[in-house]
Amino acid sequence: MKRVSFYSIALLFAGIIAALSVSCRQEETAAPLASLALNVDGATAESITFTVTPDANTACFHYTCVPTSDTASASYTKVTDQAPLTVTVDSLIPDTEYTVMAFAENIDGLAGSKVKATAVTTSAPQVSITVIESASTTVRFTISALNADSYSY
């Protein structure tokens, strides 16, 4: 009988020590999830401008702008700043659909939101051709690009 009560007391103390050690531990809390806003500010024949605005829980964010047909193989640019960022992507192909994508991470490295994506089509280039003089074998004219950064003929 003495052995039973000794084991019972030992188990009781072990249970109390285990309960105290669990209750004294501070619970780890995860950092709040991050999110961001993605706004397309404009598009020309050869460029797209967009703004990424992270929230206060954002440790870093990633963005990219790729032809819509290439979204599966997109590589992102990482930004470790919490300030809004306006990006202009140049040298794009006119009259082509692009997808602008961004996502945010919190301090624990967890993506807080799904990838935000917006499709944007660059405009078709518009040119103005003005005939200055025409003769039987020659034509003099000027070409002005109305919404393109460059053109060729």
Side-chain angles (χ1 to χ4, degrees):
M1 195 90 153
K2 288 183 179 181
R3 283 192 167 184
V4 172
S5 42
F6 172 74
Y7 288 118
S8 298
I9 292 172
L11 286 175
L12 177 65
F13 281 120
I16 291 171
I17 291 171
L20 288 174
S21 67
V22 169
S23 65
C24 292
R25 261 193 281 161
Q26 292 181 349
E27 290 190 29
E28 294 181 23
T29 56
L33 294 178
S35 67
L36 54 76
L38 175 62
N39 296 308
V40 174
D41 303 323
T44 67
E46 297 177 356
S47 68
I48 294 173
T49 301
F50 59 93
T51 302
V52 180
T53 307
D55 73 355
N57 299 322
T58 300
C60 68
F61 62 90
H62 307 259
Y63 71 86
T64 191
C65 178
V66 294
T68 299
S69 60
D70 295 337
T71 56
S73 61
S75 62
Y76 289 80
T77 300
K78 183 177 182 177
V79 178
T80 57
D81 194 1
Q82 289 183 324
L85 178 68
T86 299
V87 177
T88 299
V89 181
D90 294 319
S91 303
L92 301 179
I93 300 168
D95 199 22
T96 303
E97 184 177 83
Y98 287 85
T99 300
V100 177
M101 298 181 288
F103 67 93
E105 291 182 18
N106 67 4
I107 196 164
D108 292 335
L110 299 174
S113 61
K114 295 180 181 176
V115 174
K116 305 254 177 132
T118 302
V120 183
T121 302
T122 52
S123 58
Q126 297 176 349
V127 295
S128 170
I129 300 175
T130 305
V131 176
I132 298 173
E133 178 184 344
S134 66
S136 61
T137 58
T138 61
V139 175
R140 284 185 356 149
F141 58 91
T142 60
I143 298 176
S144 301
L146 301 177
N147 70 340
D149 298 331
S150 63
Y151 58 91
S152 61
Y153 63 94

